[in-house]
Amino acid sequence: MTTSSISKELRKYRALAWALVVTLIISVALFIQFLSIDRTRAVESFSSSAAHATTTSAMRIAQLIGSLGTIGRDYLVLVPSDAQLLSMMDALNIDLTLSTLCVRDGDAVRVIRSGSEDKKSASDRCAADFLSSEAVEMRAGLDNFTTDLRITRSVFGDTELLELRVRDGGVRELRVSISSTVLLDSTLLNDAGLDIDSETVCLSLRIDGVFHQLTCHVGEIAAAVPEIFTQIESNALSISKEIETDGLHWRLVVQPHLQSLAGAITVLPFIMFGIALAIGIVACVFAYQSADKNIRLEMRADELRTRLQQLEQLEAQNSLLDQFAAMAAHDLQAPIRFIVSTAYLLIDELDELDRPELSQMAETQVEQGERMRALVLDLLEFCRAGQSNLVMSSVDTRALVLEEIKLLRAHQEYAQTHITLGSLPESLVCDADKFALIIRNLLGNAVKFSQVNPDPAVSINATRETFHGSWTFRIKDNGPGVAKEHHERIFRPFARLESSINGTGMGLAIVKIMIEQLGGTTWIDPDDMQGSSFCFSIPSAMLE
Amino acid sequence: MNDVMQTPISVDLGDGTVPIVMVDDEQLDFQLVKLFHKRSCLSNPLLHFFNGAEFLAYLESSKEGAVPLPAVVLMDINMPNMNGFEVIEKIRCDEHFMSTPFIMMLTSSDDPRDRERADTAGANGYLVKPFNPNFYLDFFNSLVNKN
């Protein structure tokens, strides 16, 4: 392969690579686009429901916090008794009729109220629950929500913990773990001289899978986030609400949980990615194939161009050869003529000398000279026949044949030959001169060869299969005929089958060329073995 | 081919001093013609010109009578510079020479197109150079004095 064809092949792969890159870019872009659409939709749906949830939550929280405020003020004792806890629940407005209340005090777990269960199983369950660290169950539906209330207070670096878990829907549990039992009261903290700004005092709620972080302080907004709530990120999606309860200012910040957002992602981005990829791959294949086809066409065009060049060269060479042959044939005639002429002179002189053997030599010169001349003339004829300047006209072939017969009859030896004419077209469109030459040659041959027969006879006729089909001319003689194995060879230049019959061997070659120029074919009828039947076809052409 | 043998050619041979001219660039052809001219019964001299220009010059001087107008001119076709047709055309253009002298084309070509061209140019006949030079003898003997 040439370097240019290699670089052409590479173009294929480049086209493919480009198409692939573009496909991937588009697919990824679509994926990201639809992902962000999904996210936006999730955020919007969150936002709309969050707004609602916030409002309802805010109301409940306001109540809760109001109650806590009361509790905080009323209960300063760190170790609340069971009764205190129960009344705390009352204050919190938590319906405890059916609930089991368990309390963990340090490592001990005791059941305050067993509700509908028996005390033993309630106690076991409490113990197990305290030990496990399961997350609060989330329930579907807007009315049921689970509240997980955790109150942390850090004083002088110590952390005290009050954990309130209220499980909704049937079984209520109150789990209280108190290490130190000081309940939260911001007023209290103030009195204690704590610097609110430097301390972390937080109240967090997780409602319905959504974290509500209550950052409480008096006056300013604190930024610290307790450890358990580090999942909450501050981002533009959070919604905040200011609440006031009993002189305490609260800011309610509601942020969507990552998991809930994650759940909102649909399968659409993936579908779009898949579709784009599929289309892209089809486009890649198409690009590759069309690049391939282009290259193939280009290479073919190159090929054809070189072929054309070669052909033109060949044509130029050929015409040069033709010209050369014609010139040679022409220029040979003069010297041949001189040789023969002087030979004739010699014959005359030698006759007088009475030297027959010398006369014989001179006569041989004349003979051979004549032969050379015939050959050169035939060669010229052959060259001329090769030129295809056809002058088409409507030819009366019957009249033409009769004319040729007349010319032949001028030769004495042919005067006795029977020549019969069959039907011949009287308006055949072809080149008159060439047709005449063809007839002259073939007729001449037929008559010449039929002389072998004591009763020489030649016939010419023409037939055609269909009304507008080609004419088939047949020239038959009752001469010796042509052996089957020579039927092909006989039309080649310089082919001579019998040296006894005069001829240069060019006649039939010239005939064949001219017939082919007229668009026909020539052959010897293989079925006619009595003498020879030379046939040729001329297509029916229309005069333009 | 050459049907001149059948019909005699009548030209003005004058008193036998009017020349017969051959215009041909080939020396050998002239030699052959000269040989048979000698053997013929013609007394008219045979003149040779190698090219058309020389002959045209001769014709010019014949106008003033310095030299005699030829009886017959044998004109070859293939000559360098000016071919036979052109020479004849030039000759026939001149009002002096529109019908005389008698010009025979003598050429190696038997192409019918050349015959036609010769006729159009103004030649009076067309001969193909023979292989048997005895033909020239017959030709010269066929010239009949029309006077």
Side-chain angles (χ1 to χ4, degrees), chain A residues 458-523:
Chain A
V458 168
S459 74
I460 314 173
N461 72 333
T463 51
R464 68 172 164 187
E465 302 258 321
T466 64
F467 190 63
H468 287 297
S470 6
W471 283 95
T472 303
F473 290 81
R474 174 188 294 266
I475 296 165
K476 185 173 162 40
D477 67 74
N478 59 0
V482 181
K484 267 224 169 75
E485 56 265 27
H486 297 317
H487 281 200
E488 279 289 313
R489 249 187 357 110
I490 203 173
F491 289 105
R492 291 196 213 140
F494 301 112
R496 292 196 313 135
L497 306 180
E498 290 180 40
S499 47
S500 58
I501 312 273
N502 282 337
T504 55
M506 294 293 287
L508 284 174
I510 293 171
V511 160
K512 182 166 145 88
I513 284 201
M514 286 197 288
I515 287 170
E516 279 166 9
Q517 269 174 18
L518 292 174
T521 48
T522 178
W523 68 96

Side-chain angles (χ1 to χ4, degrees), chain A residues 153-173:
Chain A
R153 192 196 75 157
S154 144
V155 178
F156 302 121
D158 291 337
T159 307
E160 285 155 341
L161 179 69
L162 170 64
E163 211 173 355
L164 281 170
R165 283 190 178 188
V166 178
R167 207 169 280 212
D168 203 358
V171 177
R172 289 177 199 268
E173 283 177 30

Side-chain angles (χ1 to χ4, degrees), chain A residues 22 33 38 56 79 150 184 208 211-212 247 291 297 323 355 376 378 441 450 513 534 543:
Chain A
V22 168
Q33 179 66 20
D38 268 354
T56 23
V79 185
R150 187 195 236 200
L184 176 69
D208 212 357
F211 273 115
H212 300 269
L297 282 172
Q323 283 175 34
R355 294 284 300 276
V376 167
D378 271 354
N441 253 292
S450 66
I513 284 201
F534 279 76
L543 261 180

Side-chain angles (χ1 to χ4, degrees), chain A residues 181-201:
Chain A
T181 55
V182 173
L183 290 173
L184 176 69
D185 185 354
S186 64
T187 323
L188 199 66
L189 293 170
N190 258 343
D191 287 348
L194 290 171
D195 183 359
I196 301 294
D197 290 334
S198 63
E199 299 299 313
T200 306
V201 175

